[in-house]
Amino acid sequence: MVKLRLKRCGKKQRALYRIVAIDVRSRREGRDLRKVGFYDPIKNQTYLNIPGILYFLEKGAQPTETVYDILKKAGVFTEFHFNQTKVN
């Protein structure tokens, strides 16, 4: 199973997080399938690759709680539900 979760990078006391699609059995710093965005909690900035995120969500990837909140704030799920109803 694939999850969308945060992967820590950056310096000490200066954390940046990449939003990655990764296998559930991998550890936090393990090898990811694809990088789909990043999140800077200090500057409160996000960059999201929306087509990449939608691709993994359509394939059944589950976001973690924190990634879910970030995606919800960015409005990704409105596009995801719009695409789901459009296909059906």
Side-chain angles (χ1 to χ4, degrees):
M1 186 168 130
V2 176
K3 279 202 173 230
L4 296 174
R5 67 170 130 163
L6 297 175
K7 184 175 184 179
R8 191 181 196 278
C9 56
K11 301 178 183 178
K12 286 191 265 184
Q13 303 296 319
R14 184 84 180 120
L16 293 172
Y17 296 94
R18 286 188 176 146
I19 301 171
V20 297
I22 194 167
D23 188 33
V24 173
R25 296 167 289 185
S26 297
R27 52 192 182 155
R28 182 185 72 179
E29 305 303 326
R31 186 170 174 217
D32 51 64
L33 300 173
R34 188 180 301 167
K35 298 170 184 75
V36 292
F38 83 89
Y39 171 62
D40 185 356
I42 296 171
K43 294 181 181 177
N44 201 17
Q45 290 180 327
T46 57
Y47 168 77
L48 301 172
N49 179 2
I50 303 294
I53 291 170
L54 291 176
Y55 171 78
F56 281 106
L57 288 174
E58 288 170 2
K59 295 294 182 183
Q62 297 294 315
T64 60
E65 292 180 27
T66 308
V67 173
Y68 179 83
D69 292 339
I70 292 169
L71 297 179
K72 186 175 177 183
K73 200 178 291 186
V76 172
F77 290 109
T78 57
E79 294 179 30
F80 179 64
H81 292 302
F82 179 72
N83 288 341
Q84 291 293 328
T85 56
K86 193 166 110 178
V87 169
N88 291 335

